[in-house]
Amino acid sequence: MPGPATYFDPARSGELDPRTRDLVERRQRVLGPAYRLFYEHPLELVRGQGTSVWDSDGVEYLDAYNNVPSVGHSHPRVVAAMAAQAATLNTHTRYLHEPTIRYAEDLLGTLPAQVGTVMFTCTGSEANDLALRIAKHATGATGVIVTSNAYHGVTTEIAAISPSLGGAESVADAVRLVPVGPSASTSLERGVREAIASLAAAGIRPAALIVDTIFASDGVLPDVAGFAGAVEAVRAAGGLFIADEVQPGFGRLGTGLWGFDRYGVVPDLVTVGKPMGNGQPIAAVLARPELLEDFGRSVRYFNTFGGSSVSIAAAQATLDVVRDEGLIANAAGVGGRLLASLVELAGRHEVVGEPRGVGLFIGVPLVDSATTLTVVNALRERRVLLSASGPGNDVLKIRPPLCFSDGDAARLVGALDAALAGV
Amino acid sequence: MPGPATYFDPARSGELDPRTRDLVERRQRVLGPAYRLFYEHPLELVRGQGTSVWDSDGVEYLDAYNNVPSVGHSHPRVVAAMAAQAATLNTHTRYLHEPTIRYAEDLLGTLPAQVGTVMFTCTGSEANDLALRIAKHATGATGVIVTSNAYHGVTTEIAAISPSLGGAESVADAVRLVPVGPSASTSLERGVREAIASLAAAGIRPAALIVDTIFASDGVLPDVAGFAGAVEAVRAAGGLFIADEVQPGFGRLGTGLWGFDRYGVVPDLVTVGKPMGNGQPIAAVLARPELLEDFGRSVRYFNTFGGSSVSIAAAQATLDVVRDEGLIANAAGVGGRLLASLVELAGRHEVVGEPRGVGLFIGVPLVDSATTLTVVNALRERRVLLSASGPGNDVLKIRPPLCFSDGDAARLVGALDAALAGV
């Protein structure tokens, strides 16, 4: 999640134009203080197509941030699939529905053979909640190891393993945090071994190591040292490895569909979500079947909307488009060239650190969070949308729809260059 | 949730026709043992319209069970609203979106003025998880009081307050169960006072009393004694009252939109879900604003798909249809006449107890769960879909789309009469 600095400050609503101020005030009244808006000047979006979105004045923006509409805003094949299914039937998984089975087979075919079962939910939070519940059930253990600025979701159970949320509720007693960073000197394996020892000293066995395989909230880290060793270490201690693919999954990294593949490991559980249905609320837990044997017998789990007909139709269309339009290769190609341009740009601006990333998930560290805030808002004024990430909230997060073109990338780099010239 | 007896037994897949057997086996392989199918002979649904659904052989069934498609399967206004919004924009609540604000205002306008804020989620489970988290945060307490066969959802936190799920995980230490029943001698207030005393003896203060206001999993109980007194008692002990309207809400009871209204109480938090978007995954927590003041400031909550554009469009269209088609009055009228017919039928069949219900939420107790199982499956063979409920799994649960007609009701009663003649 982006840090607070990238949000609108309600105390400054007097600076807004009348329509925006009215909307902000109405919204504040009915949605309350937990809801936040992006940008110093909040954006009212009314339309999207491909990598473009339009505000209520008809102004077009380049979307370099939203990973949910991963095959592009309002993709006609996804829209058509949803509309057709909604007009035909939209029901749950206690009736047989061939497209649900076919999609499950299709999805599982993209994963290592050991990960042979899927359970559908509606959100990544629900998927991580269920995965952790399965891991605790299967191991009989309670310890959880996460990275030090991890974000895995917002259910009560998952908020308690999400230190990036801050606040008094985080982090639960049986949770241990391990540092990660862009430098090869920070080894995930070493951190995990220390976490296991710390849990053991408290009489706690690890149920799971769970990591976002692109480490988005830790600042976007494409090459974390000691990844495979960390997985081995948690297994040696009786725990499971959960790969959280909610952000990196479905082709964004340009190296196949899944982030864990890049580290040569096979997870025990995989969670997927955000881009799965291009905006339709669908997510899933994928698991080694043996982990579900006792869980499936003794725990009754049913998710009313999980894998419902329209959600499956959206997910199937999205996966088809990723393949048919070659979006993984596009993420690799455009993303690689964009990263090279950003490295070149970094050489010309003192406040920019070393850009890092893989495919269309790129982090650009800036000198501090104040500068990052300024740049994020300056880009919004220049009609390019992105946000910030990282424990210090000082990393530009670039995470556009996967149909991002070289032209889009050039526009982003040009706008960033100009924004940086203004700080 | 219906009990296990109403599900297909995978050991009997040899009895199925080849296509169904093939689907069941493929499904079992990819979805695993946690997934269950309704009926001795699972049903493959391919189409739905109004109160009718069709199987893959083109056979039509009367749907007297599914509360999610509450304004009718594939309602054209909901389908059109979803399709139009999906083709335009589908994004999240960190941009301004006037229809989201308008729907929030519309929805809150149906509730008592004290309940002035809404937070959107995707599922009833997420809504109850969030409501309980808010209640614990606001009270600083941890105790939870639920009914003895309650079902509130499937996140880790909420499964632990859902005794109807059974299994080793239920029920958490700080949870107390109170009995409810159709008889006026079982007072919810007395049970809640005893639960508060039991918590106090363990040094635990109550954070919340949470009840489904139609007590669906407790067997469908339209008139529970001591309801308002129970709410008073938990407040006197410093706790909050959460009305779980996920099943009864949005007009099903025929007495306005909300079940708590029937008891003359104003909840601190209200959770809504299932029928909210006629199948689209949308749910919400509605709260007294003061409960969110500190929570909203100190806890960062964001639900990516919660209140996303397409979900809001579906929810607005659904609420509009409930009003424009007079579905609350229809639920009252058709439901009332259906209940009267069922009472008449009960007089002619020894195995039938006293039918109870309000609007289009009706429970018909039978002599035991074996008879109930037989009747549920016999009705499926007679092309009428319903299921079972209650702690003993011996109550027929009748919960059709709200556009159920008197003709539909007559068909249901006729089929039930014939099915009962066969037991």
Side-chain angles (χ1 to χ4, degrees), chain A residues 9-256:
Chain A
D9 176 2
R12 295 176 59 184
S13 68
E15 300 170 20
L16 303 173
D17 66 273
R19 177 181 168 88
T20 306
R21 187 168 65 225
D22 177 60
L23 282 178
V24 164
E25 286 170 1
R26 284 171 61 196
R27 180 181 142 111
Q28 188 78 6
R29 202 154 43 232
V30 291
L31 302 187
Y35 276 78
R36 289 162 175 82
L37 287 163
F38 281 145
Y39 305 120
E40 279 179 1
H41 298 105
L43 200 56
E44 183 187 0
L45 294 184
V46 299
R47 189 159 73 87
Q49 201 74 45
T51 57
S52 287
V53 289
W54 286 264
D55 72 12
S56 49
D57 293 323
V59 176
E60 185 261 3
Y61 295 76
L62 174 66
D63 186 355
Y65 178 71
N66 284 295
N67 56 337
V68 168
S70 82
V71 302
H73 287 277
S74 314
H75 193 290
R77 277 180 71 183
V78 180
V79 172
M82 284 174 65
Q85 186 62 52
T88 307
L89 180 72
N90 192 15
T91 190
H92 54 77
T93 55
R94 281 181 169 159
Y95 304 114
L96 287 168
H97 191 235
E98 206 271 337
T100 306
I101 301 169
R102 194 169 359 114
Y103 176 71
E105 292 168 344
D106 193 0
L107 181 61
L108 288 166
T110 70
L111 286 146
Q114 297 95 317
V115 183
T117 319
V118 56
M119 292 178 72
F120 294 109
T121 67
C122 295
T123 67
S125 292
E126 284 191 334
N128 281 329
D129 192 291
L130 177 58
L132 191 54
R133 202 169 154 210
I134 292 167
K136 288 181 175 179
H137 188 97
T139 60
T142 58
V144 184
I145 303 169
V146 297
T147 59
S148 54
N149 202 48
Y151 173 74
H152 296 293
V154 292
T155 66
T156 304
E157 175 84 352
I158 297 302
I161 66 161
S162 293
S164 72
L165 292 177
E169 288 184 310
S170 299
V171 172
D173 290 344
V175 178
R176 293 297 180 277
L177 309 184
V178 298
V180 277
S183 150
S185 66
T186 310
S187 159
L188 187 63
E189 177 179 355
R190 188 168 58 239
V192 167
R193 290 192 185 280
E194 286 171 9
I196 292 167
S198 164
L199 286 169
I204 300 168
R205 288 182 299 119
L209 164 69
I210 174 168
V211 300
D212 165 2
T213 63
I214 191 63
F215 302 90
S217 59
D218 287 288
V220 186
L221 307 172
D223 294 296
V224 161
F227 192 110
V231 172
E232 261 176 61
V234 77
R235 284 190 177 137
L240 301 174
F241 171 55
I242 305 173
D244 181 341
E245 295 282 342
V246 172
Q247 292 210 49
F250 286 104
R252 173 159 299 279
L253 305 189
T255 55

Side-chain angles (χ1 to χ4, degrees), chain B residues 87-176:
Chain B
T88 306
L89 180 72
N90 193 14
T91 191
H92 54 78
T93 55
R94 280 181 169 158
Y95 305 113
L96 286 168
H97 191 235
E98 206 272 336
T100 306
I101 300 169
R102 194 170 358 115
Y103 177 71
E105 291 169 343
D106 193 0
L107 181 62
L108 288 165
T110 70
L111 286 146
Q114 298 95 319
V115 183
T117 320
V118 56
M119 292 178 70
F120 294 110
T121 67
C122 295
T123 67
S125 291
E126 284 190 334
N128 281 328
D129 192 291
L130 177 58
L132 191 53
R133 202 171 153 208
I134 293 167
K136 288 181 175 179
H137 188 95
T139 60
T142 58
V144 184
I145 303 170
V146 298
T147 60
S148 55
N149 201 48
Y151 173 74
H152 295 293
V154 291
T155 66
T156 303
E157 175 84 351
I158 297 301
I161 66 161
S162 294
S164 72
L165 293 175
E169 288 184 312
S170 298
V171 171
D173 290 345
V175 179
R176 292 297 181 275

